[in-house]
Amino acid sequence: MSADRCTYGTALGCARVLALVACGALACITSCAVAAAADAVSLPYSPGLDLKAMDRSVDPCTDLYTYACGGWQKANPIPPEQSSWDVYSKLAIEVRTFLKGILEQLAPVAASRSPEQQRIGDYFAACMNVDAVEAAGSAPLQGELARIAGLPDKRALGALLGALHTRTWGSGLLFASGVEQDARDASRMIASVDAGGLGLPDRDYYTKQDAKAREIRTRYRAHIARVMTLLGEPHAAAQADAMVVMRIETALAASSLTMVDKRDPYKVYHRSTLDELQKLAPELDWSAYFKASGLVAAPWLNVSELHFASELSAQLARESLEDLKTYLRWAVAASSSRYLSSGFVAEDFAFNHAYLLGTEVDQPRWQKCVAWVDRDLGEDLGREFVAREFPAATQAAALHMTEEIETAMRERIERLTWMTPETKAQALAKLAAVRNKIGYPRHWRDYSPLVIRRDDFFGNVQRAAEFESHREAAKIGRPVDRDEWEMTPQTVNAYYDPQLNDINFPAAVLLPPLFDARMDAAPNYGNTGGTIGHELTHGFDDSGRQYDGAGNLRNWWTPTDAKQFDERAQCVRDQYAAYTVVDDVKINSALTAGEDIADLGGELLAWMAWQADQEHKAAAADPAAKRDGLTESQRFFVGFAQWACGNVRPQRLRASAMVDPHSPPRYRINGVVSNMPEFAEAFHCRTGQALVKPASKRCVIW
Ligand SMILES: [Zn+2]
């Protein structure tokens, strides 16, 4: 272990840090922060290829994932406050710990704080002040509850929902709304009305009829009743209310599209005028809704699910005003529980995390507070993070690798045997139009209109939701901002946006062990090269391929090429459908197809880019030469597999199988390499071994 390596364990084990977690009062933060400032927090280092993470007793040709990650899995049991634990989430918590150090330094009132530092410091201080949160009880909700109670008739619902939606984080009350690029004209920002209003993670939780699904619904009803009791309702009334909520949510769920259907962009695009929406769903006063929410429905909007909108209207006609009020009371409390006093927090945890995901204890308060600063003031926090942890050299190196991956993609498209020149020209044009965004935004978001108070945590959360709603609404009718990011720089993740046609790599996803400047090229290409290739391939997966280079939903494929693509995508779907997630649950590969295609394409691109890289060419003079007992090619594949090392609780696996478009980590590794002859060659695998497919069975798209 080198001197500069500080492990996660030692960072958390520091007595001062533990004391800080244990106390929550503002006075305590202030005194601890002053002490903590003396030894600045630093990020721990884990190497980009971790030999200790491996289990060399396993044959990689049978199970590369366990060969590369078996040691990691043993050494990293799932912390009690997590439902899964992997290289990404561990790094995310390390980043969060690092950010906590920054926020503790900025929390005390000081004249030296910039306006940005003042906002994030005060937000964090207010959030950590659990005494004040506890003392407030359910009082912060009383204003909203009074407005719901005072609703005179159903016609007034439009205005009330418009206001509630702007102030509430979550999936929407009764339905959701937002702002998006018009799918048919990506240069235009429009409003959207979407399905929503559910308290369980997905509509399938309400519609499935197996024993487990029924058990979840029974437990959910009990959870609703307990929350209603916390609002002050007598036991019997709370039980009756839970039945009402369940009936309303079940009807919303039944008319909502499945997650698989929602992957089809044509199924969620219906350009409508406000008049058309009013005719489709006459029971809600949509003009009043739009006025109160600040959204503008001109010249048109997207009603993403027409059936949902008309059924919502029918439901509003059917349900009594009193029952609708009951639902709203519940929905406001459920979406706010996390920000209220301990009774609400404990009930929210017990159902949503302990029961549904298998988590043993709730996250410490500071982890939640850092996460909420990240959500509500993410780019103010991002300035601090980037200034400390994102050297220009990392940005340049990541950009260089991205350009190599794009060159590989260009060559692969040019060489495709199944695609006609016509469609190839379109694909190449789309590829050339991809924008690379690496690290952090060109312009930082201006949060100055957002009022943050040191003594009003709940108010800060509400005002932040309102600020975000208005910021989004203000985009309608303005040119698209192509420099905007959907993730903050301190997020350990990456994404492709089909309508902006850009790939985005936040600074924190370019940290070791994912991207490691101290490491040789092979594992870096296997890991981060694969991530870059993954995001780029999303532009060409079964969903992304339906958008053109300008971000418009437009069919640029000849019918023959589309058919050829579908056959190859079906190969991937068939392969992953055979994998078991947990117990009798198989991968729903219609849901995971886009990610599985991106995983496969990404690693093929990473391999090609690595082969072509000058540094690699120099190192590969002797392909049999070994480092740490591994050849260069083997280091590439171990580096690849180690991005996904992790452990997952069975409850979480079951929940993810319904809602997560990603396959479980093991298959994101083993499923990919079984299609790569380069892998079989690297480890001298024999025909017939588990991860060696015969050439005729291999899936290859891009
Ligand atoms: Zn992806």
Side-chain angles (χ1 to χ4, degrees), residues 534-535 538 595 662:
H534 172 104
E535 301 309 340
H538 270 315
E595 297 297 336
H662 303 89

